[in-house]
Amino acid sequence: MSGGVSAQQALSDREQRVLGIIETARGKRARFRDEQITMAHGAGGRATQTLIEALLEPALHNDALAALGDAGLVSAGAARLALSTDAYVVRPLRFPGGSIGELAVNGTVNDLAVSGARPLALSLSLILEEGLPAQQLRDEVQAIAAAAAAADVQVVTGDTKVVERGHADGMYICTSGIGLCDERAQLSPASLRPGDRVLLSGSVGEHGTAIMLARGEFDLDAEVVSDTGPLWPAVDALLEAVGADLRCMRDPTRGGVASVLNELARASSVAIVVREAAVPVLPAVAGAAELLGIDPMYVACEGRLVAFVAARAVPRALSALRGVAGCELACEIGEVRAQPPGMVLVETSFGRRVMDQLVGDPLPRIC
Amino acid sequence: MSGGVSAQQALSDREQRVLGIIETARGKRARFRDEQITMAHGAGGRATQTLIEALLEPALHNDALAALGDAGLVSAGAARLALSTDAYVVRPLRFPGGSIGELAVNGTVNDLAVSGARPLALSLSLILEEGLPAQQLRDEVQAIAAAAAAADVQVVTGDTKVVERGHADGMYICTSGIGLCDERAQLSPASLRPGDRVLLSGSVGEHGTAIMLARGEFDLDAEVVSDTGPLWPAVDALLEAVGADLRCMRDPTRGGVASVLNELARASSVAIVVREAAVPVLPAVAGAAELLGIDPMYVACEGRLVAFVAARAVPRALSALRGVAGCELACEIGEVRAQPPGMVLVETSFGRRVMDQLVGDPLPRIC
């Protein structure tokens, strides 16, 4: 990427028009106009964002929630805590590389980790469908136990409900987690500055692709294994290596890396420019994404980290990340620029395009 | 109730035989033998207990979970925290006196309160069914906001998932809560001693009865309003009035007062004797329970407190409770005795009987 020429200057007339349309649409205050809930409201893209910003957040308004991070911050005496929650409705329950139980631990642990909080404890709520084979429940409880042990966190409380046959898909799981905010972390989604770099801890899209392949919905000979795993070791290494030069982190789950970049570009009123060729994508993931007509940048990961760091910290950050198991492919994929604010651009071998928020739900129930 | 004569001495031959059978059954180590999940596993009675003690707890084993309280205890720096979680699958979503959203706040706040923890913050996970009218979601989010405000607690983080039409009943909600352990509280389910008294903060069974009536499943002309409400004010008043003379508290939700008493009689290896005539039951609740063939003592409350206190603390405790809105009917309903350990007995106008754990699920999906 050449320095010196700003993205704004280099935009063509056509790009300027596209950006103008997007900016106009975004400038309007979000309103929730839908009369019914659709699958898109759970997909992590624009519909989810509207549901959160126009319906949930105004009704429940408070500062912690308004920050809309992956976890809410809570003070308890002298301790600064993070609280995070996720419901898991992945289908099928088991897939190459993981299962709903494992995901329920890693997903919540990772929301704490990317918020700069060391996971302390988890809660576990099960919604079971009448008729669920007991062995499937045993398997998932074992998966939960193993994932919790691997993430060095304990499940300290739980609840079990049962609904009649046909009113759930085997089981839904909700985990919540408490984490202790790390003193080395000074993170904020509004802290991105022009010149900051975008790092990625590994290849993208394996989790979402593994789920779609496991459903047998398209005929592809590849086996793709979910990247699900705990992120605290990577976060811990990054914090130790670069401290306050770490601006913000996210785990690119629903909506993938593209959604995370859009969220943060808006929150910091900056542009983010990504070099497509720099993003590691496994051939099987690229192939499946092409069949599905979706950019791998929108496909969910469950064990990857997107981190924004000051330019001077890049060598230290990459070296630290690459020393963590599972992060050997960590790389720089782009940078933050001033213009156009709130936009994500991708540079490809064919030129440059806007990488907007996800609309619709091409990959339902992947977590 | 006459003092001096122990329950053991006063047992008839028939009672002794019944107790012998129950003790033999209970003496066996719980094993999870069912091949499939049934509605009873979610009912809060014996099947739920077996699921927890024989399947969940051994796999996830740790000290906090093994305590099997309504919340798990977690240390965060110098702070002692409680973490609690519940999934809500109540049907219908709205009922006289409350709704799933209100229940999702009060239920979790109350699990913290009875654990002696002042509620600090909540998380909210929604599992929405595709096609859910947006207005129903708005109504529940408003109910959540109102209940959170009434309980003086904030929803600081959340998650939303959507499942296809037919894979949920409108919505399921999971809330988790963090509370700060109150220094006045020295509570333990194993701390009940012969001579301690059993207090109840109000009339029993309104919540479960309101739900059953709202479903129109039996033809009764009564309107019963759920007792759902936050319990921290009652707990706070009790702690202030009696401090360490407060042994243990529970909110009698699924499985009602009977299940709470059985749980604690076992945990403390004591007997609990309840005077049926002392338990406040509204006529409409008593009538509905009779139609349903269920003792009101097994019907869920969502805003009542069962408290065990030292005998000397009863006047102070009752006076404190009665000063709290909603607890005007607070009363003593029984006492703790040494024999027979692990058993709950009810004294009625016809004599005395064992009040065992709930078997089966006469009232499905009431929370």
Side-chain angles (χ1 to χ4, degrees), chain A:
Chain A
M1 190 173 293
S2 63
V5 179
S6 82
Q8 183 70 59
Q9 288 171 301
L11 292 175
S12 69
D13 284 356
R14 188 179 158 280
E15 285 175 323
Q16 292 282 14
R17 282 197 303 275
V18 170
L19 288 178
I21 291 166
I22 293 174
E23 274 172 0
T24 303
R26 288 187 174 180
K28 292 180 183 164
R29 194 167 158 274
R31 287 179 59 185
F32 191 84
R33 287 196 182 84
D34 303 300
E35 293 194 357
Q36 291 194 333
I37 296 300
T38 66
M39 295 304 290
H41 290 117
R46 189 173 298 161
T48 305
Q49 184 199 322
T50 304
L51 174 64
I52 293 170
E53 294 182 5
L55 196 159
L56 294 168
E57 202 276 323
L60 303 170
H61 186 77
N62 60 70
D63 290 345
L65 190 65
L68 293 179
D70 284 335
L73 300 183
V74 182
S75 292
R80 287 178 60 237
L81 303 172
L83 176 64
S84 182
T85 191
D86 263 311
Y88 297 86
V89 299
V90 66
R91 184 170 55 88
L93 297 177
R94 305 226 124 198
F95 46 83
S99 71
I100 190 171
E102 200 205 16
L103 216 54
V105 171
N106 288 334
T108 296
V109 158
N110 290 351
D111 280 343
L112 293 172
V114 297
S115 304
R118 183 187 297 270
L120 285 180
L122 294 182
S123 68
L124 170 69
S125 272
L126 301 169
I127 298 176
L128 307 178
E129 183 186 6
E130 181 187 22
L132 175 75
Q135 191 54 49
Q136 282 191 32
L137 177 59
R138 272 197 197 88
D139 291 344
E140 291 318 313
V141 175
Q142 287 301 339
I144 289 166
D152 195 21
V153 69
Q154 291 186 331
V155 176
V156 298
T157 190
D159 181 47
T160 306
K161 294 283 161 45
V162 181
V163 295
E164 298 86 351
R165 213 175 283 264
H167 291 288
D169 263 350
M171 72 178 81
Y172 302 142
I173 300 180
C174 178
T175 48
S176 301
I178 303 182
L180 191 61
C181 294
D182 195 291
E183 291 183 359
R184 296 167 296 177
Q186 295 177 33
L187 307 171
S188 162
S191 66
L192 274 48
R193 295 290 170 266
D196 288 348
R197 303 304 159 99
V198 188
L199 308 185
L200 184 61
S201 70
S203 49
V204 301
E206 275 124 271
H207 175 72
T209 307
I211 298 292
M212 297 310 284
L213 288 172
R215 286 188 200 151
E217 287 176 9
F218 49 112
D219 195 29
L220 199 70
D221 222 11
E223 166 118 330
V224 175
V225 175
S226 167
D227 52 71
T228 174
L231 284 173
W232 175 254
V235 169
D236 190 27
L238 260 185
L239 286 172
E240 194 59 31
V242 308
D245 278 345
L246 181 60
R247 312 289 196 215
C248 188
M249 294 178 284
R250 284 287 187 273
D251 56 333
T253 57
R254 281 181 296 179
V257 172
S259 298
V260 161
L261 299 182
N262 269 281
E263 178 202 341
L264 296 180
R266 284 167 52 114
S268 285
S269 288
V270 294
I272 298 174
V273 182
V274 172
R275 294 186 303 281
E276 190 174 62
V279 179
V281 185
L282 298 188
V285 170
E290 200 168 313
L291 275 177
L292 204 66
I294 186 171
D295 186 334
M297 295 289 277
Y298 290 90
V299 181
C301 311
E302 287 288 343
R304 301 291 184 239
L305 182 69
V306 177
F308 291 81
V309 299
R312 64 173 173 272
V314 169
R316 280 176 287 143
L318 286 179
S319 167
L321 275 178
R322 287 172 185 156
V324 176
C327 301
E328 295 81 1
L329 296 181
C331 55
E332 180 187 326
I333 63 166
E335 72 174 73
V336 177
R337 299 202 185 162
Q339 296 291 334
M343 295 291 161
V344 180
L345 302 173
V346 193
E347 289 180 341
T348 72
S349 46
F350 305 107
R352 189 168 48 194
R353 57 183 166 76
V354 174
M355 188 165 73
D356 201 5
Q357 282 177 289
L358 187 66
V359 176
D361 187 7
L363 301 170
R365 295 181 57 186
I366 43 121
C367 64

Side-chain angles (χ1 to χ4, degrees), chain B residues 209 212 218 255-256 285-300 358-363:
Chain B
T209 308
M212 296 311 283
F218 50 112
V285 170
E290 201 169 311
L291 275 177
L292 204 65
I294 185 171
D295 185 333
M297 295 287 277
Y298 290 91
V299 180
L358 186 67
V359 176
D361 188 5
L363 301 169

